[in-house]
Amino acid sequence: MSVNIVTGLTGKSHVTSAQDGRKNAFAFGSGRYVFDSGSKFAYELVSNNLIKILDGDLIDQGRHICTDQNDYTELTIDNGISGNNRKDLIVMRYQKNADTSIESASLVVIKGTSTSGVASDPDYTEGDILSGDLVDDFPLYRVNLTGLSITSVDQLFETLPVGGIHGI
């Protein structure tokens, strides 16, 4: 058994992302929240195939993920099919490489299945980062397509108000 001082000077690099993530999960809860900062990952439809996700900060099970202030990410939405409906999800994907333990995050579009009936959300990965899962998707938006066109975009996240989890 060993004891580690995380926020003390030990003479070597020693703070891990897992330690910081556990501290964040204790402070903010183990859920998924967008902070009330920056543009809060707001979206802008640029065209029928291009959507911008603006800057923001979020907590995903203790992991703090952000986009630099005044920056954005452009995502491509594949064309719809005439006479069909589809739902795509825009997620913040957390990934950890099993071999290197390197962690990363990126905005990803998960394409749904086209149908002539009522479309449903595509499957996404609901991982448990705190238990060591290597992938977790935090759904931010649902993009609804009718025929060839995007007809609406639904926000799927809660915003963590100033004051943190105690304000929810």
Side-chain angles (χ1 to χ4, degrees):
M1 180 166 101
S2 67
V3 174
N4 298 302
I5 185 166
V6 177
T7 57
L9 181 62
T10 66
K12 62 180 180 174
S13 297
H14 65 285
V15 179
T16 68
S17 63
Q19 291 166 332
D20 199 45
R22 286 195 310 265
K23 178 185 73 179
N24 285 340
F26 179 77
F28 298 107
S30 60
R32 298 175 174 99
Y33 308 99
V34 170
F35 287 160
D36 188 11
S37 67
S39 299
K40 298 177 271 211
F41 293 106
Y43 74 90
E44 290 180 9
L45 281 175
V46 177
S47 71
N48 210 41
N49 295 100
L50 191 64
I51 190 168
K52 281 185 184 180
I53 305 298
L54 304 180
D55 64 284
D57 290 87
L58 62 80
I59 286 284
D60 183 359
Q61 302 174 58
R63 292 305 195 270
H64 176 204
I65 301 168
C66 69
T67 300
D68 290 338
Q69 193 171 31
N70 300 317
D71 201 359
Y72 59 88
T73 301
E74 290 184 341
L75 299 169
T76 300
I77 304 298
D78 287 348
N79 284 327
I81 297 173
S82 183
N84 280 0
N85 302 304
R86 191 178 84 222
K87 294 178 187 276
D88 293 351
L89 292 178
I90 296 174
V91 303
M92 183 65 78
R93 177 166 290 161
Y94 163 90
Q95 290 183 290
K96 182 176 183 179
N97 182 295
D99 296 325
T100 65
S101 295
I102 299 292
E103 296 166 290
S104 62
S106 58
L107 287 162
V108 176
V109 176
I110 301 174
K111 184 178 175 180
T113 302
S114 289
T115 179
S116 59
V118 177
S120 58
D121 290 343
D123 291 336
Y124 63 94
T125 303
E126 291 187 74
D128 186 344
I129 298 170
L130 294 167
S131 294
D133 285 351
L134 300 176
V135 178
D136 179 64
D137 290 334
F138 176 172
L140 298 175
Y141 293 102
R142 174 186 301 114
V143 180
N144 300 291
L145 293 99
T146 302
L148 302 174
S149 301
I150 294 173
T151 54
S152 64
V153 179
D154 305 322
Q155 179 179 307
L156 301 176
F157 59 85
E158 289 183 71
T159 301
L160 189 66
V162 175
I165 195 79
H166 304 293
I168 291 182

